[in-house]
Every structure is written in structure tokens, then in C-alpha cells.
């Protein structure tokens, strides 16, 4: 029988101070299934974090797990650089049949290092090589990763401060509704059209349709369409970072599907493996597939084990529209549950769309208190935003409805308790 230690000393002694999520969820997790986590003391928690949207299909999906175990038992490839393998071929065929073809997309797939940041780095390099330009336009509150190129496009000052040097090559513009009364698309076009606008001709314009780490800021279709038109007008590639918002998180496989746009480049990571395994890729229109062999490379470009689970995920959830219809129902349930939370907090309001929604409660302090109380009551949930003021729900998309509603009730109860406590303190 395996005995799990509850002693956390080794983590504080030996793990870097850069550790993050474990500070908010101070226990030793030992197992997980579906939308539930279990710790070393036998406590169970509903998971509304899902690996920051890396586990859209839940923990240890049985079909993916079986395929992966069989792959291992048959001594299939464990690592293959970018060699041709049967598992990669299976993934490419499934992706073409169930993802690209139904959406009229002609993109090629470029496998990069296993993180979303590496996909963003590759996308920016592609744009620069394809256009001969260096400037990338990104947006306020955008989060694209913390490696140096991606960090230049990331808005968060805390993360940018970790660079230790200047980040360059990016011009930041206001996102949709960032500045009250400002038409962000018109401003962007005006500044690019004016010879004295001060912005170098861009290689690309890059954005998230819903800014996950930025606070669940959801852009309107009109804004996304407008940015694409500006990119076309000024000879820039149009890049959508779909790392957190993709793979069903906003209700469709890609977050931009119902917006009437077709990006030149799309970055994917997080849930693309289906199982929480490291994997990232870049979708690129054939005209912009400009890299020579190994010009952007990496020892782990293409995770063979992830190909196996990703293929199962695509065939299981995206071969027809049944799963997408389920997501639409859950989106309504989530909005209703979050509205009940917002009603408890003066000035609070809902943000995001699909299964990527949350409540802006005004301050990071209050959001942190609510999430802390949720954890005490058996719910793992995190914050986001420029001040961490948004309580963000990223539950696995496969969460059973009863468990989904239970998690939302825990969130409501936690918010009610925190607000009641604050009212009592104020009265005293």
C-alpha cells in the first residue's frame, strides 16, 4: 500500500520561490479523476482550475488513458524529435478531418517546443520572416508567455519585470473597450495610416479573443473583425493566440469560429493534448510557412505520447457537434451561477464568455479571500486580471452537471460568507 506524506517541508526547502499555484492551495495532491482532486489526507476538491485550461476534458479521461497505456505497453515511440511516426500521422489525419476541413481551414501544422510560449515565439518569428518587418502589435492586458519574445507582447508589469532587461519589438495598443469612449480599431488604423503616427509597419497584429490571464476581457466580434481588416490593409499577419481560449473553452473548438475571421496564424497549447501532457503547435497558412528545416526547432517539438491522447480527444469530442451543444447549455448555467455571486458583491460584474467566465469583484484582496474560502469548502478556483480581481471559472468542460452546479454553489456560499464577515467587521 502506498503511503502519501502530508509533510510539505521538502517543497519549501527545495522548490524555487517561483512556485505559484501551490501557495493558494496548500496541500499535497495525490490523485485526480474527472473534475475531482484528492489530497494526501483523503480530502476531495471540485476542480474549477483544470490546469489553467490544460485539462478541458478532465483528469485521466479513461479512453485517452487506455490509448496511452497501450502505446506504452507496445513499446511504441516515446520520443521522436520530428521524425515521421504512426502516432503523429494519426493525429494529423484526425486534426485534418475533424478540425480543419469542417472549418474550411488550409493551415499547416508546425510542432514546436511543448509550451504555449514557444508557440507564440514561433508565430512572431514566422511573421517577421514572412514580412521582413520586426514590429509586432499586441494589446493591453494580453498575456502570451514569459520567455523573452512572448514576454515583450505580454502586458502584465509583474511578469515583464522578471525579464531583467528591456523587452523590445512590440507596440502595445488598447484592447476592445480598454479606454472608455475610444474606438480601439479606428485608433489603431489611424496611427498606422499616419506617417507621423509613430508606429513602425507591423509584421503582425496578435491578440486573444478572450484575455484569460488579463481578466477575462472578451472582445466583440466587431473588434476582432476590425483588427483583421486593419492587419490586411497594412500588410501584417493576423495572429490569434488561442492557447487558453481554444479547445472548446469558449464553446467552440477555436475561440474565433463564430466571429467571421480567418487568422493567418493560430497558436495552440494547454488542452490540445487532451490529457494534460505538454504539447504546443502553430497553425500557419501555407503562404506563410516560411521556415527552412529546423530553423525553429527544439528537442521536444512534438510529444509522441501527446499525439496519442490528442487523437482520442479530437475523435471523441469533435467528430460531431454533440459536445459543442453540451457546452452551450453549461455556458448558460455558468452565467446564471456567476450572476448569483455578483449579486452578493456591490459593484461586481460578469466577464468572459462560454466556459471561460468569472466575476470581477473589484479588488484582488476580495477575490483572493473568496477563492481561499472556496478551497476550505472543497473547491479549487483561481483569480486573474490586472489586479487579480476576477474570480475565474475554468472547470473541465466535461464536468457532470450536478458537480458543476455544486461547485458554483460552493462559490456562492463562499462569497456570501466573506461578504457577511466584512459587513460584521465594518459594523464593529
Amino acid at each position: 500500500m502506498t503511503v502519501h506524506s502530508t509533510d510539505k517541508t521538502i517543497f519549501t526547502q527545495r522548490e524555487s520561490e517561483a512556485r505559484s499555484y501551490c501557495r493558494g492551495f496548500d496541500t499535497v495532491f495525490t490523485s485526480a479523476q474527472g473534475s475531482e482532486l484528492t489530497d494526501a489526507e483523503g480530502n476531495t476538491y471540485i476542480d474549477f482550475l483544470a490546469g489553467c485550461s490544460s485539462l478541458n476534458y478532465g483528469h485521466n479521461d479513461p479512453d485517452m488513458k487506455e490509448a496511452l497505456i497501450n502505446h506504452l505497453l507496445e513499446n511504441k515511440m516515446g520520443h521522436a524529435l520530428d521524425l515521421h511516426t504512426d502516432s503523429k500521422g494519426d493525429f494529423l489525419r484526425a486534426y485534418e478531418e475533424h478540425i480543419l476541413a469542417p472549418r474550411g481551414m488550409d493551415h499547416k501544422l508546425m510542432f514546436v517546443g511543448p509550451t504555449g510560449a514557444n508557440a507564440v515565439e514561433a508565430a512572431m518569428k514566422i511573421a517577421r520572416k514572412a514580412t521582413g518587418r520586426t514590429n509586432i502589435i499586441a494589446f493591453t492586458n494580453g498575456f502570451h508567455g514569459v520567455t523573452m519574445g512572448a514576454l515583450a507582447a505580454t502586458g502584465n508589469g509583474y511578469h515583464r519585470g522578471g525579464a531583467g532587461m528591456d523587452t523590445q519589438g512590440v507596440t502595445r495598443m488598447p484592447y476592445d473597450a480598454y479606454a472608455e469612449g475610444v474606438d480601439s480599431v479606428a485608433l489603431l488604423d489611424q496611427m498606422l495610416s499616419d506617417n507621423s503616427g509613430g508606429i513602425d509597419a507591423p509584421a503582425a497584429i496578435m491578440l486573444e479573443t478572450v484575455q484569460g490571464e488579463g481578466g477575462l476581457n472578451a472582445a466583440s466580434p466587431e473588434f476582432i473583425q476590425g483588427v483583421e481588416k486593419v492587419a490586411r490593409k497594412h500588410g501584417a499577419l493576423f495572429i490569434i493566440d488561442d492557447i487558453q481560449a481554444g479547445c472548446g473553452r469558449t464553446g467552440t473548438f477555436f475561440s474565433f469560429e463564430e466571429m467571421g475571421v480567418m487568422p493567418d496564424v493560430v497558436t495552440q497549447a494547454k488542452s490540445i493534448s487532451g490529457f494534460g501532457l505538454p504539447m504546443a503547435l502553430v497553425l500557419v497558412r501555407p503562404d506563410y510557412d516560411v521556415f527552412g528545416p529546423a530553423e525553429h526547432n527544439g528537442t521536444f517539438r512534438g510529444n509522441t505520447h501527446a499525439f496519442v491522447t490528442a487523437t482520442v480527444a479530437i475523435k471523441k469530442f469533435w467528430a460531431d457537434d454533440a459536445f459543442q451543444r453540451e457546452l452551450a447549455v453549461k455556458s448558460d448555467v455558468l452565467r446564471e451561477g456567476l450572476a448569483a455571486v455578483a449579486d452578493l458583491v456591490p459593484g461586481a460584474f460578469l466577464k468572459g464568455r462560454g466556459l471561460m467566465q468569472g466575476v470581477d469583484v473589484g479588488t484582488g484582496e476580495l477575490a483572493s479571500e473568496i477563492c481561499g474560502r472556496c478551497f476550505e469548502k472543497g473547491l479549487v478556483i483561481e483569480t486573474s486580471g490586472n489586479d487579480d480581481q476576477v474570480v475565474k471559472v475554468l472547470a473541465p468542460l466535461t464536468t457532470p452537471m450536478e458537480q458543476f452546479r455544486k461547485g458554483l454553489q460552493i462559490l456562492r456560499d463562499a462569497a456570501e460568507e466573506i461578504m457577511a464577515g466584512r459587513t460584521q467587521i465594518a459594523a464593529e
Side-chain angles (χ1 to χ4, degrees), residues 31-38 45 47 57-62 65 396 400 403:
S31 62
Q33 183 63 54
S35 300
E36 192 170 83
L37 302 166
T38 302
Y45 304 84
D47 185 3
Y57 312 108
H59 297 267
N60 288 304
D61 176 271
K65 181 167 62 175
Q403 193 173 43

Side-chain angles (χ1 to χ4, degrees), residues 25 64 68-69 87 96 153 161 238 248 375 405:
F25 311 113
M64 297 182 211
L68 180 58
I69 289 172
S87 57
E96 181 177 50
F238 180 48
F375 185 59
R405 291 184 183 276

Side-chain angles (χ1 to χ4, degrees), residues 31-297:
S31 62
Q33 183 63 54
S35 300
E36 192 170 83
L37 302 166
T38 302
D39 69 12
E41 296 179 337
N43 301 308
T44 60
Y45 304 84
I46 295 174
D47 185 3
F48 269 21
L49 178 59
C52 199
S53 204
S54 294
L55 293 158
N56 283 2
Y57 312 108
H59 297 267
N60 288 304
D61 176 271
D63 297 314
M64 297 182 211
K65 181 167 62 175
E66 181 181 10
L68 180 58
I69 289 172
N70 289 337
H71 181 89
L72 296 171
L73 290 175
E74 294 169 12
N75 290 325
K76 294 280 197 172
M77 300 291 289
H79 178 269
L81 295 170
D82 66 353
L83 295 171
H84 297 321
T85 65
D86 55 352
S87 57
K88 183 198 286 187
D90 290 343
F91 171 74
L92 286 168
R93 281 184 284 270
Y95 199 95
E96 181 177 50
E97 178 182 356
H98 299 300
I99 304 301
L100 296 179
R103 294 162 179 80
M105 298 175 69
D106 63 352
H107 296 65
K108 300 181 78 171
L109 276 68
M110 175 182 169
F111 299 108
V112 297
T115 68
N118 195 277
V120 170
E121 296 275 357
M124 295 170 76
K125 287 170 61 177
I126 287 169
R128 285 166 171 150
K129 182 171 185 181
T131 63
R133 302 172 178 177
T134 59
N135 188 31
I136 304 284
I137 290 176
F139 291 89
T140 51
N141 286 311
F143 187 93
H144 301 283
V146 296
T147 52
M148 292 304 292
L151 186 60
T154 292
N156 185 278
Y158 173 79
H159 289 100
R160 289 167 60 81
M165 61 181 290
D166 291 339
T167 52
Q168 302 175 346
V170 171
T171 299
R172 203 165 328 279
M173 295 296 290
Y175 193 70
D176 192 18
Y178 176 77
E180 186 176 353
V182 174
D183 183 333
S184 297
V185 172
L187 176 64
L188 173 61
D189 185 36
Q190 181 178 356
M191 293 185 72
L192 287 175
S193 300
D194 186 347
N195 289 331
S196 293
I199 301 179
D200 294 333
I205 304 177
M206 180 169 67
L207 55 77
E208 307 153 272
T209 65
V210 181
Q211 296 181 321
E213 298 308 299
L216 299 180
N217 306 306
S220 67
E222 293 75 18
F223 174 80
I224 302 298
Q225 292 166 11
V227 171
E228 182 188 41
K229 289 177 182 176
V230 171
R232 306 281 180 239
K233 176 180 177 180
H234 295 281
L237 272 62
F238 180 48
I239 301 174
I240 289 185
D241 179 340
D242 227 27
I243 290 165
Q244 186 170 140
C247 295
R249 179 52 63 183
T250 60
T252 52
F253 184 80
F254 294 113
S255 69
F256 54 84
E257 284 185 36
E258 298 174 344
M259 292 190 161
V261 298
M262 184 59 71
D264 300 304
V265 179
V266 182
T267 59
Q268 289 195 288
K270 290 192 182 289
S271 279
I272 189 60
S273 79
F275 202 67
L277 297 173
M279 180 181 177
L281 58 84
V282 175
L283 302 177
V284 55
R285 299 293 294 268
D287 288 349
Y288 304 119
D289 186 26
V290 294
F291 282 150
E295 193 169 1
H296 184 91
N297 63 20

